[in-house]
Amino acid sequence: MSLVELGRYSRNEAMIIVGRLDSEGIDAVSFDGNASIADGSYFLIPVRVMVDEDDLPRARDALGLPNK
């Protein structure tokens, strides 16, 4: 299993995307969601949504993203 980046999103978008993928049976995790250098700065740091490399095309389809 090798994780690849699906995309970078705001914290709220990343949580929604991970939940959406989970509902489709696709495992996804978010990285950097709690990264912060000062109070409130986590809003400025994009959250990476990661999926298994084999699930990437299916995850992109589930979100309506073009496959590369």
Side-chain angles (χ1 to χ4, degrees):
M1 178 171 144
S2 177
L3 291 178
V4 295
E5 185 178 300
L6 174 65
R8 294 176 186 223
Y9 306 94
S10 72
R11 281 181 58 171
N12 291 339
E13 288 173 322
M15 290 177 14
I16 292 168
I17 289 169
V18 168
R20 172 76 171 108
L21 294 175
D22 184 55
S23 74
E24 294 287 332
I26 302 169
D27 291 329
V29 294
S30 61
F31 288 172
D32 309 323
N34 293 320
S36 168
I37 56 174
D39 290 337
S41 67
Y42 58 82
F43 288 115
L44 304 174
I45 299 171
V47 176
R48 295 177 292 156
V49 175
M50 310 293 285
V51 297
D52 185 273
E53 185 174 28
D54 295 336
D55 290 334
L56 183 60
R58 203 170 74 139
R60 293 183 71 76
D61 285 343
L63 298 175
L65 301 173
N67 279 309
K68 296 179 182 178

